[in-house]
Structure formats: structure tokens, C-alpha cells
Amino acid sequence: MKTRVVHQSPGQLHIDLGKIRLSAEEADVLYYALTEQPGVHKVTVLPRTGQLVIHFDTSEIRYRDGIVRFLREMDIADPELKKLVPGVSGRATSEMYKEKLGTLIIKRYAKKLFLPAPIRAAMIIYNGAPFVIAGIKDLLHKKFSAEIVHASAILASVLTSDFPTADSIIFLTEVGELLEEWTYKKSVDDLARSLALNISTVWKINDDEAEPEMVNLSQIKVGDLIRVYVGNVIPLDGVVESGEAMVNQSALTGESIPVHKEPGITVYAGTAIDEGELTIRVTEISGTTRYDNIVNYIEASQSMVAETQSQAEKLVSRLIPYTFGTAALTYLLTRNVTKAASVLMVDFSCAIEVAMPISVLSAMREASGHHMTVKGGKYLELIAEADTVVFDKTGTLTKAVPKVEQVVAMNGRDEDTMLALAAELEMHFPHSLANAVVRAARERNVSYGIPHSKPEYIVAHGIVSVAGNDRVIIGSWHFVFEDEHTVVLPEDEERLHSIPAEYSQLFMAINGTLAAVICIDDPIKAETPRVIERLRKAGFSNIVMMTGDSERTAASIAARAGVDRYYSEVLPEDKARFVEREKAAGHKVVMIGDGINDSPALSAADVGIAIKEGADVAREICDITLAGAELEQLIALKELSDKLMVRMKSTGTLGISINGAILLAGILGLATPGTAALLHNASTILLCLRNMQNMIPPEEDYRTL
Amino acid sequence: MKGKYWWTLIGGIIAGAYGPDLLASKAVQKGLRYLTAGAIIARDRIMADSEKIQAAASDIAADAKEITQRYYDRCDEASKEFEDAVD
């Protein structure tokens, strides 16, 4: 497409596309296609003038040239590019609200300039009527809300023939409401989009084979059979063909108690399997990711409202009768209707009702800019109060890519064969240790060949399967030796005990005899000690590590990480029980996990945080999701939460003090009702705008700790 | 004055009697359609101008940043020369 560079600055390109106007679809394609380009920081599309402003990274010349080349070569009608536009475009929503705001402002000044006074007065009465009616309704329901104060302010102005004041009150109230609606809608949209499904592959069962085949989600048609395993999300609507499972439907219905599913029962896209597995016949392949359901769920859940906010709102609604009392008192004392009216212009609850929700929503938006998804304002508040944080070791404190260092084969078995067998069984599980085994087998290019039965997963212990004629088990020391009473052949005893201690060990036994020990190195992340120290400084005084791993590995990692306490060989129930104990002792607990066996503890904690690469079940039931296993994000989260609390408090204080000053000015006659109304509404709007600012440094600053 | 009162009264009665019919008539409707369209176009032009200002402001801000960056670089160089000279 035609491009002309209007202006160049370091890191910024201002481009004219030669078109007079861009339609919404064209603007969307441009925006989303450009944001994907390498090196692009921010794209601003100006659809009414056909221009683009692009901010990009200056560290490499190829970024700028790449952007210009992409624009010159792109075809705006290309369907491939259209795919990049999400179902509900955030850009289009912002554009819509910008237009509404612009229309509101232009209408007001156009009316002032062009319409004669009587018609203006009539329009003001017409526009103000809804507010007055709303206020009267609240009064009749004995609900003392801010609407009553607004209504009385408008009514008082109109009755005293002070139409300009009534006009300005109506206008500024409408602007405030629009800003609030905009922020709310944007936050809900962003949240819903990040909660929507991000699945790309699924196990498909072809009729003639018993083994499922991993295919791309887009290749599934209605009537196909798919299999979903424990810990994974059901990607499409369907009817259960075979199998049995307990399914967590909280993403759809909000209930966290799992629902039993068996053949014949319908299952829904977006729900996760807690236990068991299902073979499902697909009934619907539409591209919808249950977006509207998620939006409804978010709006219905009370977690959007922080406790502080609802407390402040309750407090302020108690003050409203006093506002009327003050107005009446002023009239009695001064016999001046004007002064009494100016008291009504000042509404204390305004700032709190409008500016506080905006600050909460803005914090949630800022968190998503750090690639964290916060599912409700309540959770930010809880994090600010929290002093205890519980980590899972594997994948959180240690690198998410544990590596198989050694395979020690016993009983005369061959190393590679044992590794291949282990890999075949572990392939079904989303645990990072399992992934390491699969990866190692792929690297050594070995495969087992003999079919095996579907492995049965015993939570936090290990897996059991039948391969050919052999019963194979893989798991921890506790599982393999103490539970299953595996025998070690005398000639292997010495080798067993000489295995280095710092590796995580997976024991594999065939038909009751130890067959191999797979040594996995789970190195601690380099930044972990520093991050733990920063976390302690940020306010977490009680940092706990819990892992199902052996005592030796846990102890060495714990010492290097610098945690306050650690627990090894932990079972999932223990994790949950520990969380409950801490809560009973009065602590607020934050739990971070990624595996299936973390779900009880994640639900029990005050705030459950899941890592994005973890099991889908964990991500479904958690309260906050961190994209990427970056511990630094925790620091950002804590700082953001603390700053949010400070901001909410200052909103309350500023709201009351500024409005109190205006009230005083009104009573003393220093300000007319018109001025009071203007000051009150303008200060509220400025407070809202301030609350929309970012509170913590951008993401890059946290990554370079 | 009293005369004005009577004229206002008569004007109001006429407006009330014939006003609604007039407003609903085809001619007025057509006129209003074009008027509203014109208003919308005017609004879009105003918003387009505001976009132009937005783009220009963004350019100015970027250039200003560059100028200040060069200024600071020159200051740094100057102070380095000074340090070298002192040594």
C-alpha cells in the first residue's frame, strides 16, 4: 500500500497512507498486523486521517526498514492478515469511546454557540430529567445514593433558573460516566481475551487406530472423536463417548466443585479435567471461545470489587443524608438559597464511586501489561496484605527445563531402552520432569516400539502402566519402594547408593524389580536468590518452598534460594493443609504453582497464582496467571498491589478534602453554585485521570534485575 | 411591555397548535436529515483535525526528546573533556 513518511524521529515513524479515511476493519488489520512486527513497541492508527504513528526499537536498523517494507508490500484485504485481528478488537472499542467522548464535547459547545437560550433551556431540562428521575427512584427505595445528590443539584439549579450550572453539571457527570464505562469495558475486554482459550493442538482418535494422534485444533470437524487427559482443558463442545471424569467448570459457571461426566453427558469448551479422562465426540467447532460467557462470568463475580472500595462506598453513602442536612442548615442560617444550592453541588461520594473503581481496573490493566492476568481487584488487595508466599520448587524456583543427566540401568537392562520406555509413558503428562524425560528420549533418538496401556497417574507419586507383558511403574522413591515394595537386586545396591545426591531421581521398576534410575538435573534459576531477597524487601516475611522432591534435592535448592522454610516429599493434601494452617494462624497466604497436584492448595490459598506453562487445571482455578515462569513478575505484582492500596487511600482522602474545601467556599459565599459544580466535577475527572496512570516501572525494568 | 406579552402568548398558541404537524411533515424531515448529516460531517472533520494535532504533537514530542538527548550527550562529552584535562 502507498506509504509516505511524513516525519521521522529516532524510534518514531509518522506515516501517511494516502487514504482519506480508514474503515474500522482496515484500521484493525493495520493495527494488529503491525503490532506483530519485530521491534514494534506501540502503534497508533488515526483512521479519520489515514495516518499511522509507530514507536519502535532503535537498537537494530532492520526493525525500521522491516516495518516500512512490510507496509509497502502489504495488501490490506489479505485474509491471512485478517486472521490476526481478535474477535473483539480492543482498538475498535477504544475508537468507539473516543468518538462518543468527542461527540459529547462537540455537542455541548455547538449548543452553546448556536442554539438560542429558550431552546437550550428546554434541552437542559430534557437531558437532566433522567438524572432527576433516577434520584427520585432511589429516594423512594430509601436508598441514599449519589444519584440523589446529583438529581437535587440539577433540580436546584433549574429551579433557580441557573441553566448554565445545570448544563455544566449534566455535561461533566456524563463525561465522568463515559470515562468510567470506557475503563471498565476495556479492562473486562482485556481480561476476557487473556482468559479465552489458547489451545492449538488436541489428541484426535482416528476410527481405525487405538492410538490418539496429535493434530492441530483447526483440523477437527464436527463428529470427530477427541481425547482429553487429566489436567487439560476441553477445547470444544461435545458429548462424552467413553471414559469418566470429574470436570472443573469454574470458567463457565463459577462453581469450583467438579462435576461428574460420563458417556452421554455434554461437556463444554473451556472446562478442565480434574481427574480421569474423556473421549469426546465433537458437536461444535465454531471459533467462539465462549467470550461472552467469560465476560458475563467476570461481571457477575464479585471479585472485581476490592474490599476497601466497598467499605468506602458504604461509608460515603452514610454521609449523604448529612449533605442534605448541611444544605438545609445553610439555608436556615443564611436565608440564601444560592449558598444552600452550592452545598448540593458538592458530592463527596462522587470521587469514591467513580475514581476508586477506575484505579482498581487500571491496576488490572497495568498488570496485564506486565503479562500477568489478574482476575479481580480483590486479589490485588489480598496480595498487598499478604505476608506468606508458598512456592512450588520445580519450574518456579528452578529452570522450567530440567534435563536428564544420567540413566542408570539396573538388572542388566539397556539404558536407551529404559529411557525410551519411560518417555512413552511420560508423554501423557504435563509435568516438567515428564517433559524432560520425553525430550531426552527424542534427543537420543530412541523409541520403545512395544505398545503400552494408558498410564494411570497416581497424584504426586508416579505412574503405572502395562507394556507388553510387563507391569511398569515410574515414580518417586516413596512410591516405588515404600508403596509398591520394589525389590533391588544385590548387584545393583551399590550403584543405587552411589548416585549423586543433587539430582532429582525418577525410579522405574518392571514387574516389581528396580529397572532404572533416571537422574534429572533441575538447576536453580540464576536470579532466584536475588528475587527472593527482593521479595522479602517488598513485604513477604514468610517465604516457603514446598516440593514433592526428595529431601536432599530440596535442601540443596532451599539453601541456595534463601527461602525461610522448606518442606520436601510433600503430598498435595499436605500443601493444602499447610496453607489452611497458616491462614488459621492469621497470615494471608499467596500460593504459586503449576501442576495438577497444586489445585487443592491453590484453591485454599487467599490468592492462588498459576504459571502459564503449567497444567490447564491450575490456570483455570487460579486467581492470577503469570505468563512465563518469571519470578520477577511477583515483585512487580506485590509493588503494584501496595501502590494500589496507597492510591485508593489517597483517592478517598483527596476526594473528601477537595470537596470539603469547595463546600466551605460555597457556604462562605466565595464560590457560586456554578463554580462549585465546575470545581467539583472537574476535580473528580482529574482524579479519575490520575488514577488511570501507571504505578510501577514498565516490564523491562523488572527483567533486568 | 404588555404588547410583548400578547405576542408571546399568540406565538405560543400557534406553535402549540401547528408545531407538531409541521415538525412531522415530509419537508421538514428531509431538511432535518440533511442538517443532521451536515452536523455529523462537521463533527468528523473536527475529530479529524484533532487527530492531525495528535499526530503533530507526537512528532514534536519525539523531536524534542531527540534534541534533549543530544544536549545531554554534548554535556557529557564536555564534562569528560574537563575530567581528562584535570587529570
Side-chain angles (χ1 to χ4, degrees), chain A residues 204-225:
Chain A
K204 176 174 174 210
I205 304 217
N206 297 315
D207 305 303
D208 42 351
E209 298 157 27
E211 276 301 305
E213 177 201 347
M214 187 165 265
V215 299
N216 213 299
L217 187 63
S218 49
Q219 293 175 323
I220 302 285
K221 296 185 287 298
V222 173
D224 280 349
L225 278 175

Side-chain angles (χ1 to χ4, degrees), chain B residues 10-42:
Chain B
I10 293 170
I13 292 172
I14 295 175
Y18 295 109
D21 289 336
L22 198 68
L23 281 175
S25 77
K26 281 287 180 86
V28 173
Q29 293 250 320
K30 220 172 168 202
L32 282 176
R33 247 177 260 159
Y34 282 99
L35 197 67
T36 316
I40 293 178
I41 292 176

